[in-house]
Amino acid sequence: AKKVGEQLGAPPLEDIDLPTIGNPEERIDINGKSYTSSMLYYYMRYAYAQKYIDLNKVQTVIELGSGSGKNIVYLKKLHPHLTILLFDISPQLYVCEQFLKSVFPGQVVSYLDNQNRTDLKDLEKGKIHVLGSWHMPLLEGQQFDVFWNCASFQEMEPHVVLNYLSFVRPCVKQVYLMAKMDGKEQASDEGSKGVLNPVKFEHYQEGLTGFNMIDKHVCYLPSGERMWEGYEESVWKKPE
């Protein structure tokens, strides 16, 4: 992970104060710094994205599928000026909010304060805003800089992904997307493991009509091994 970061011009891992809240497993202490495989994984995703997206020059980031919020650690620690909107389903929102409140006290606007929003016009600048995935239609008519999605779209059906991207496409200039581009395993029937209809690369092309794909690259793990077959990360930009 460190070597990849250096090659992509990302800030050195040694300069980043990574959280160890919750006494995480697989913790490694080196020269007074603590690391976990999970945080190194997200560092590699950040390092790739920042090679193509100048995060010092953007003001707003939207993330759908925020998970536990570990991606936000790098965005907010290295670019504290950012206003960040996080969208996810209820169980993940709770975990994400509690984690980020511990890492960034006073900088997180709770879902409880956002749940009844009817628009996004009065967002507190420089804060992390926690919202439900059902709030995505509120993006309509607004302008933001970057949309971020990491390993969640392949868990959905194509019509769901295209619906989300229909809200994103008109309102952002740049997109970071990491997914299993050849589609997740197909379920034998409803309720079985996998998806009924895999989301594939052509669906992302359709959902991001009007964007140019700047780069697409296979994903690697902190160990240096390639991620499971088909996982790639990419950056898309709207022409100036």
Side-chain angles (χ1 to χ4, degrees):
K2 178 180 178 181
K3 183 177 180 180
V4 169
E6 291 173 348
Q7 291 173 340
L8 296 174
L13 270 169
E14 295 89 341
D15 295 347
I16 307 171
D17 183 23
L18 297 177
T20 55
I21 294 163
N23 192 27
E25 295 181 352
E26 300 180 1
R27 174 175 166 176
I28 303 171
D29 296 312
I30 303 174
N31 297 327
K33 291 281 187 176
S34 296
Y35 306 93
T36 66
S37 59
S38 179
M39 290 306 303
L40 293 176
Y41 167 87
Y42 282 99
Y43 172 72
M44 295 178 72
R45 309 288 76 84
Y46 165 82
Y48 170 83
Q50 61 82 47
K51 179 181 178 182
Y52 300 99
I53 301 174
D54 189 345
L55 292 161
N56 289 312
K57 292 183 178 179
V58 306
Q59 299 299 318
T60 50
V61 174
I62 299 166
E63 181 173 21
L64 174 64
S66 56
S68 61
K70 292 174 183 174
N71 169 60
I72 303 304
V73 170
Y74 295 103
L75 291 179
K76 197 62 179 168
K77 280 186 174 289
L78 298 172
H79 311 279
H81 70 284
L82 287 175
T83 301
I84 301 174
L85 284 70
L86 304 181
F87 296 86
D88 211 330
I89 58 176
S90 299
Q92 289 299 142
L93 281 182
Y94 178 79
V95 173
C96 180
E97 180 172 325
Q98 301 311 310
F99 172 67
L100 291 177
K101 279 183 173 179
S102 299
V103 180
F104 302 106
Q107 298 186 55
V108 179
V109 180
S110 172
Y111 169 76
L112 294 176
D113 297 318
N114 285 321
Q115 61 181 329
N116 295 320
R117 275 189 173 276
T118 57
D119 60 59
L120 299 173
K121 295 178 181 178
D122 60 344
L123 294 172
E124 290 186 68
K125 292 183 178 181
K127 295 288 183 73
I128 301 167
H129 298 262
V130 182
L131 297 135
S133 54
W134 49 94
H135 285 117
M136 289 289 284
L138 298 183
L139 296 173
E140 186 175 0
Q142 304 295 306
Q143 287 298 309
F144 301 94
D145 294 313
V146 177
F147 173 70
W148 195 290
N149 184 270
C150 185
S152 71
F153 271 159
Q154 78 268 344
E155 307 298 325
M156 308 176 194
E157 303 289 328
H159 71 279
V160 177
V161 171
L162 292 173
N163 181 56
Y164 280 135
L165 289 178
S166 72
F167 299 121
V168 170
R169 187 172 57 247
C171 75
V172 301
K173 303 171 185 175
Q174 304 176 87
V175 171
Y176 168 79
L177 174 64
M178 191 278 257
K180 195 175 190 306
M181 298 287 187
D182 59 356
K184 189 174 179 179
E185 61 190 286
Q186 194 162 5
S188 57
D189 51 55
E190 190 170 349
S192 299
K193 182 180 179 181
V195 293
L196 296 176
N197 297 296
V199 179
K200 298 187 177 182
F201 180 66
E202 52 263 35
H203 294 114
Y204 301 121
Q205 289 179 303
E206 179 183 351
L208 293 172
T209 299
F211 284 76
N212 295 326
M213 189 178 68
I214 304 303
D215 188 74
K216 181 159 70 77
H217 198 272
V218 297
C219 284
Y220 289 91
L221 298 169
S223 63
E225 298 175 308
R226 184 173 176 172
M227 276 188 71
W228 306 281
E229 190 69 28
Y231 278 87
E232 297 177 283
E233 49 192 346
S234 58
V235 171
W236 310 63
K237 293 190 179 184
K238 205 173 271 184
E240 296 292 341

